[in-house]
Amino acid sequence: MGFSCLVLVFVVQQLFGQSSAYLLIHGEPTNYVSAVGDPGMTNPNVRVALEAWNFCNEVGFEVPNVGSPRWADCTDLYCSSDSVYLGGGLVNNGSQCRVLHKVNETDNRLGAGDKFPIMGFESYADPDLFAKEKELYLGSLCEVQESPNPWQFWMIMVKNGNFDKNTTLCPENGKKISKIVTDRNFPCFGEGCMNQPVVYHKYSMLGGNQKVYLTGEFNGTYDLDANLGENVGNNSFFSVSWRKNTSTGSWIFSHRLTTSTKYPWLMLYLRADATEGFNGGYHYNGRGMLKKLPESPNFMVRLTLDIKLGGGPNSQFYLLDIGSCWKNNGEPCDGDVLTDVTRYSEMIINPETTSWCRPDNLVSCPPYHISPTGEIIYRNETDQFPYSAYHLYCSPGNAKYLEKPYDICDPYSNPQSQELVQILPHPEWAVHGYPEKKGDGWIGDRRTWELDVGALSSRLYFYQKKKKKKKKKKKKKKDTTEISRLMQINSYLFIA
Ligand SMILES: *[C@@H]1O[C@H](CO)[C@@H](O)[C@H](O)[C@H]1NC(C)=O
Ligand SMILES: *[C@@H]1O[C@H](CO)[C@@H](O)[C@H](O)[C@H]1NC(C)=O
Ligand SMILES: *[C@@H]1O[C@H](CO)[C@@H](O)[C@H](O)[C@H]1NC(C)=O
Ligand SMILES: *[C@@H]1O[C@H](CO)[C@@H](O)[C@H](O)[C@H]1NC(C)=O
Ligand SMILES: *[C@@H]1O[C@H](CO)[C@@H](O)[C@H](O)[C@H]1NC(C)=O
Ligand SMILES: *[C@@H]1O[C@H](CO)[C@@H](O)[C@H](O)[C@H]1NC(C)=O
Ligand SMILES: *[C@@H]1O[C@H](CO)[C@@H](O)[C@H](O)[C@H]1NC(C)=O
């Protein structure tokens, strides 16, 4: 079976941001191959999907009349004359072009139990199973044939961080349990708090003035009783819209996320998922944008990020979030949720985020740090360990040989055990193109980042069963993932 992997291009929490991005893999330093289906994001056609996850990355229950929480906007632009194309997906005269939606409202509204309109896709009454099949179906409508591998869409993911401990919807470190007993706190206003959102879709259409391009939007709320007009009021709200930059032709994705009293912890990501195989934190085969799986140390990510508004000290914002999956013995994941482990690494750039890893709190630090020259510095070497380079580290719940002191990552917010390395701007990471200090790249400091993600990832500690010590991290597919749940740990912070 495939393994996992998706790159999160960036993640937004409770704030507004815009970005455009791509990801490169290199063999030789000057010899780049794009891993994403649309290098430089210059394609005129739209390939965007949206998925919604409950606390443990499943569906649980669909919202009546909304369908299964998988939607797509896959839109092609056809122009009658080549002379109108300006490059980068821009055209100078939209009246010579027509717009074709490859996914229509009937497709987007499919819900558990519905028959798929074409052969080859199985319907399920179980909303979790139906959603993963719907993603494959939408992928088939959106697929762009390209040699050697096809690709499907960018994936927007929204996740509701509410968790009702009275239910058995979520397993514990991958194990199905009949009752949840934990003293961890999670937000939940009462029965039904783990609902999926209502989603509105502005199908891509022609926009722009002198230069014309496709533009569209998904938005929605978790507050099912909200009557959203133009005015969001005090309701939860998320929105992702896309349009072209009229000078570069690159896609600009604009994100907005707002929590509410009932939904104090929400997550919004834009992801480049693998086109095949499991994505980090998700135990079903998915669809995406990455035709090749990036492997450390040879991959770079280039993206422009312009943050408009922050969400306060209790919100995180990832410059980049990577989610991947491998077992504690180093083998690739195979869908066995008891032994698979999702690994996340995230660079948080909200300057209000503090370091939980401190000399007096080693439990939130990785056992050691690897310096740029490869030197290993243990967390108890207090005059050398760069505590402020880490927000927190936590260990997988199914690890058997953990070094004390340790903290187990939240056992409920992924279908399997997870491990999390959250880092902060610091000179230790700046050598790879990452922010050097708090505030770098934050509001008013729009930047184009060229991140040597592969090199940095090779320096992050991830748990591996001791025993026969394999040669250092052979296949650290740490590439990517969706990180999402990393915030689980902070969940309680979101309750104002
Ligand atoms: C755009 O194309 C239409 C139809 O071919 C034509 O009538 C119109 O003059 C063109 N407009 C511009 C600004 O070129
Ligand atoms: C969507 O497309 C399918 C065929 O691809 C068609 O049967 C259906 O009527 C369309 N629905 C809408 C709302 O256009
Ligand atoms: C869970 O059950 C307890 C005991 O019956 C109850 O007090 C609590 O309100 C329930 N919580 C939710 C979220 O329904
Ligand atoms: C959400 O999207 C719908 C459909 O495009 C749009 O009519 C509505 O104005 C948007 N809501 C907000 C608050 O922007
Ligand atoms: C939102 O909440 C604030 C504070 O509770 C309140 O003053 C305000 O009237 C509310 N706004 C709306 C539109 O309900
Ligand atoms: C478009 O790209 C150019 C060049 O990178 C940049 O200066 C400009 O601000 C971008 N426009 C928008 C709306 O982001
Ligand atoms: C520091 O940690 C290392 C690795 O866990 C251990 O071998 C060493 O004894 C510790 N040193 C001190 C001073 O505690």
Side-chain angles (χ1 to χ4, degrees), residues 313-490:
N314 296 338
S315 85
Q316 298 186 331
F317 189 109
Y318 307 129
L319 171 62
L320 191 72
D321 178 349
I322 299 178
S324 190
C325 192
W326 65 89
K327 294 178 188 283
N328 287 333
N329 63 7
E331 294 302 316
C333 288
D334 58 8
D336 174 358
V337 288
L338 293 176
T339 53
D340 285 355
V341 182
T342 313
R343 325 275 175 156
Y344 297 107
S345 78
E346 292 130 11
M347 160 65 77
I348 303 172
I349 59 169
N350 180 357
E352 293 182 77
T353 301
T354 59
S355 187
W356 292 8
C357 162
R358 291 184 308 265
D360 62 355
N361 193 39
L362 297 185
V363 71
S364 294
C365 306
Y368 58 81
H369 171 77
I370 304 172
S371 79
T373 55
E375 192 195 346
I376 289 192
I377 303 164
Y378 289 97
R379 59 186 167 181
N380 57 7
E381 299 176 42
T382 49
D383 49 353
Q384 280 196 67
F385 191 95
Y387 298 98
S388 56
Y390 293 91
H391 172 58
L392 71 81
Y393 167 79
C394 62
S395 308
N398 62 355
K400 298 217 172 78
Y401 308 93
L402 291 172
E403 276 173 51
K404 285 181 191 158
Y406 58 80
D407 220 357
I408 297 292
C409 300
D410 173 56
Y412 305 108
S413 57
N414 265 224
Q416 57 284 95
S417 296
Q418 60 180 325
E419 181 175 28
L420 214 62
V421 186
Q422 295 189 311
I423 58 176
L424 298 172
H426 197 278
E428 280 292 303
W429 315 125
V431 294
H432 305 301
Y434 282 73
E436 183 179 349
K437 57 183 195 311
K438 287 191 173 187
D440 284 357
W442 195 240
I443 301 162
D445 189 23
R446 169 202 163 107
R447 292 196 194 189
T448 295
W449 299 97
E450 188 151 324
L451 307 173
D452 191 342
V453 180
L456 183 142
S457 302
S458 314
R459 289 179 49 209
L460 297 180
Y461 171 88
F462 284 97
Y463 173 81
Q464 185 117 354
K465 189 160 105 185
K466 289 258 175 68
K467 293 262 185 103
K468 44 179 180 201
K469 240 198 187 147
K470 284 227 191 126
K471 261 221 233 100
K472 257 184 43 180
K473 52 188 118 104
K474 282 223 327 240
K475 54 157 83 121
K476 237 183 193 173
K477 307 226 154 114
K478 126 184 1 285
D479 10 329
T480 32
T481 304
E482 69 155 350
I483 331 117
S484 44
R485 53 297 2 302
L486 39 122
M487 327 250 247
Q488 64 257 29
I489 309 249
N490 286 353

Side-chain angles (χ1 to χ4, degrees), residues 8-129:
L8 266 225
V9 177
F10 73 88
V11 182
V12 187
Q13 169 102 5
Q14 221 176 343
L15 34 66
F16 302 73
Q18 297 190 335
S19 85
S20 50
Y22 55 109
L23 183 134
L24 307 158
I25 293 187
H26 62 88
E28 299 292 304
T30 50
N31 183 10
Y32 291 92
V33 179
S34 173
V36 292
D38 179 17
M41 291 181 147
T42 54
N43 202 298
N45 303 324
V46 175
R47 290 292 181 276
V48 179
L50 167 63
E51 66 181 9
W53 283 358
N54 73 6
F55 191 62
C56 45
N57 307 351
E58 304 279 4
V59 176
F61 303 98
E62 292 176 1
V63 178
N65 305 317
V66 172
S68 174
R70 298 290 184 280
W71 302 271
D73 187 310
C74 294
T75 307
D76 284 354
L77 185 61
Y78 290 99
C79 304
S80 56
S81 151
D82 281 348
S83 67
V84 301
Y85 288 103
L86 299 170
L90 301 164
V91 298
N92 67 11
N93 188 346
S95 66
Q96 301 198 13
C97 305
R98 67 193 175 85
V99 170
L100 177 73
H101 295 124
K102 306 188 70 114
V103 176
N104 69 22
E105 195 59 12
T106 309
D107 302 317
N108 275 325
R109 287 192 172 269
L110 288 168
D114 289 345
K115 219 169 145 289
F116 288 96
I118 55 176
M119 304 270 290
F121 299 93
E122 194 176 341
S123 178
Y124 295 92
D126 177 333
D128 296 344
L129 295 174

